[in-house]
Amino acid sequence: MGWYSPTAVAPDLADALVCAWSARAEGHHLLVPDGCIDVLWIAGAGIRVCGPETSAWSFTLPPGSESFGIRFRPGTAPHVLRTSAAHIRDIRVSLEDVLGSASERVLVDRLEHAGDTTERLTILQDAGRRWLVSLPQPDPLAARITSALATRSWSVEELADASAMTSRQLHRRCNDAFGYGPSTLRSILRLQRFMALARADRRRGLAALATEAGYSDQAHLSRECRRIASITPTALLAGEAPDWHGDASVLDVRSVQDRTVPENGESAA
């Protein structure tokens, strides 16, 4: 099975990145959607951008496969990679497909000549930092929507009204930022909230966790979990997914302190 190790990112990157990670994996693995986009280097295979997933997907790796990556918070990577998240939804593409061959070639060379895991993760974070500072500030709507849905299950109509736009406009903006509409993002973040609550207190039962996470009942949790993750809630909690982000969480949006969606793009009081 190998190992997977998420690590905290540099403080100046915490608003954009959930974590950095390294892995030596082999055999069969199941990945569960978390709203994030990963940029990862696989030794001998180049750099890949893993688009936002709408459902779980599985893969098999040969023995000794090593990979290193950075995980962008929901809605952050499309701005950095200069592409709509919808264009890379449910697929994996080469970094050169979004940023050009020169960017990938230089980064691959540095990673291949790095001495150890720490140096490779530093190189990837430095790349993320360069991409961020070279661009103007991203659309703040993505962070506000993520912050709102991280705390409770807003309806699409409520989100649209609070954001001073129509539901169709909201869907279009979310599609570009997250790769799908607000209702799909809501379901994915609600499942992440369930896992975060379970990770914080592993003694709690499914019924209590379902209620606090925002499901109508345990049956609702079970249906959503099977639809998104393809497994039961019990199996999900017993697997790798709850620990994918280490001590960080996709639910943390550090640049947004309030628990509501400000109207007209203004900061809440």
Side-chain angles (χ1 to χ4, degrees):
M1 183 64 70
W3 48 262
Y4 167 80
S5 178
T7 62
V9 297
D12 64 312
L13 292 172
D15 289 343
L17 301 181
V18 182
C19 64
W21 56 266
S22 57
R24 180 187 288 272
E26 57 188 66
H28 186 78
H29 295 266
L30 180 73
L31 295 184
V32 176
D34 60 1
C36 300
I37 290 176
D38 284 41
V39 175
L40 64 96
W41 174 66
I42 304 173
I47 300 174
R48 296 290 183 268
V49 178
C50 296
E53 306 292 341
T54 54
S55 60
W57 65 284
S58 60
F59 63 94
T60 302
L61 294 173
S65 298
E66 286 191 299
S67 54
F68 306 83
I70 50 177
R71 182 162 297 139
F72 283 90
R73 293 189 177 280
T76 304
H79 172 72
V80 173
L81 301 176
R82 307 171 194 178
T83 186
S84 167
H87 293 162
I88 55 174
R89 179 178 58 236
D90 292 324
I91 61 173
R92 274 62 61 193
V93 300
S94 172
L95 182 66
E96 71 173 328
D97 291 336
V98 292
L99 291 182
S101 59
S103 294
E104 178 168 15
R105 186 168 55 251
V106 171
L107 188 52
V108 166
D109 183 68
R110 293 190 64 199
L111 289 166
E112 287 179 342
H113 289 88
D116 55 23
T117 293
T118 299
E119 186 176 355
R120 288 189 175 108
L121 294 183
T122 297
I123 289 170
L124 285 168
Q125 290 184 71
D126 285 344
R129 185 179 290 108
R130 288 194 303 273
W131 297 335
L132 286 162
V133 301
S134 67
L135 296 172
Q137 289 298 308
D139 184 349
L141 179 68
R144 292 201 301 271
I145 294 297
T146 304
S147 180
L149 291 177
T151 56
R152 72 179 179 89
S153 298
W154 292 62
S155 72
V156 174
E157 292 73 20
E158 287 175 322
L159 286 173
D161 288 344
S163 303
M165 61 182 67
T166 66
S167 295
R168 180 171 294 183
Q169 289 171 327
L170 177 64
H171 190 280
R172 184 171 61 251
R173 296 273 290 276
C174 285
N175 203 47
D176 284 338
F178 305 110
Y180 33 66
S183 60
T184 299
L185 179 65
R186 179 182 61 206
S187 295
I188 288 172
L189 292 184
R190 185 162 51 201
L191 191 61
Q192 289 293 319
R193 188 160 62 239
F194 161 72
M195 286 191 288
L197 290 168
R199 190 174 188 269
D201 185 356
R202 298 184 185 273
R203 299 169 298 177
R204 299 184 66 188
L206 291 180
L209 289 169
T211 298
E212 187 169 352
Y215 296 96
S216 56
D217 52 28
Q218 187 175 335
H220 183 201
L221 163 64
S222 295
R223 289 193 302 272
E224 286 278 280
C225 189
R226 285 185 178 278
R227 181 175 64 82
I228 296 172
S230 77
I231 54 179
T232 67
T234 299
L236 179 66
L237 296 182
E240 303 166 303
D243 297 319
W244 276 344
H245 310 108
D247 293 331
S249 170
V250 298
L251 305 179
D252 298 330
V253 184
R254 296 161 60 111
S255 62
V256 180
Q257 301 300 322
D258 61 276
R259 298 169 70 90
T260 62
V261 181
E263 294 184 6
N264 300 317
E266 299 174 354
S267 299

